[in-house]
Amino acid sequence: MQHRHLLPQELDLLVDGDVGFGVAPLRAHLETCDDCRLRLVELEAVTGRLDTLPHFAPRIGFSDRVMAQVQVIEPWHVALANQARALVPQTAPMRVLAAVGAGLAATTISGSALWLAFRADLFAFSYGVGLERGTRGIWAGLVETARELVTGGADTGALLVATGALAATAVGAVLAFRRLAAAARTNRS
């Protein structure tokens, strides 16, 4: 069997004077290992010297100063509740005024939603008309452009320059957004 020395945690158990199932093999090891026995004697001497040091009480406000420097992460629901509590007025007249305002806003929003729900046919009709006219306009523009290109009525060079400018603008926008995203990533880290 390979010989190993006691780990710091095992020596701590012996220094603390723990008794239990795993301590007996550790004490048996100390009888055969001079290095571990010497380390245990040194640890006991250090703990004995630490016990002789005077005990000091921290100054008033010490814990407040320490906790001011500790970043405490608050759950989202607690932060939301705290923000909602901060919005509630402190005086009774202001609470009544806020309640009346909130009630009026809720009534207005609910009434508007009901009116729109019962007028869904008007919305569907408007949407259909807009979609039909938009589709017709796009197709008419594409057909007219194709006709001009085929008949030679349009200046092909100008059309190519405009298409190239549009493509360059699109590529430039993509590259600018990528650079912006990379800068944001480096600023975050």
Side-chain angles (χ1 to χ4, degrees), residues 73-129:
I73 298 175
E74 180 173 70
W76 67 269
H77 55 87
V78 173
L80 183 63
N82 289 341
Q83 286 180 348
R85 241 181 256 114
L87 294 175
V88 175
Q90 299 300 318
T91 62
M94 291 304 290
R95 285 185 181 180
V96 169
L97 185 63
V100 168
L104 286 174
T107 303
T108 304
I109 291 171
S110 299
S112 299
L114 284 172
W115 184 80
L116 283 175
F118 287 114
R119 298 291 181 189
D121 57 339
L122 178 63
F123 174 73
F125 175 74
S126 301
Y127 177 75
V129 168

Side-chain angles (χ1 to χ4, degrees), residues 131-141:
L131 184 63
E132 181 183 338
R133 287 186 182 174
T135 306
R136 249 192 267 150
I138 290 172
W139 279 113

Side-chain angles (χ1 to χ4, degrees), residues 4 7 11 18 28 64 74 77 100 102-103 108 155 159 164 171 186:
R4 75 164 182 89
L7 299 172
L11 288 170
D18 285 353
D64 294 333
E74 180 173 70
H77 55 87
V100 168
T108 304
D155 185 15
L159 188 61
V171 168
T186 57

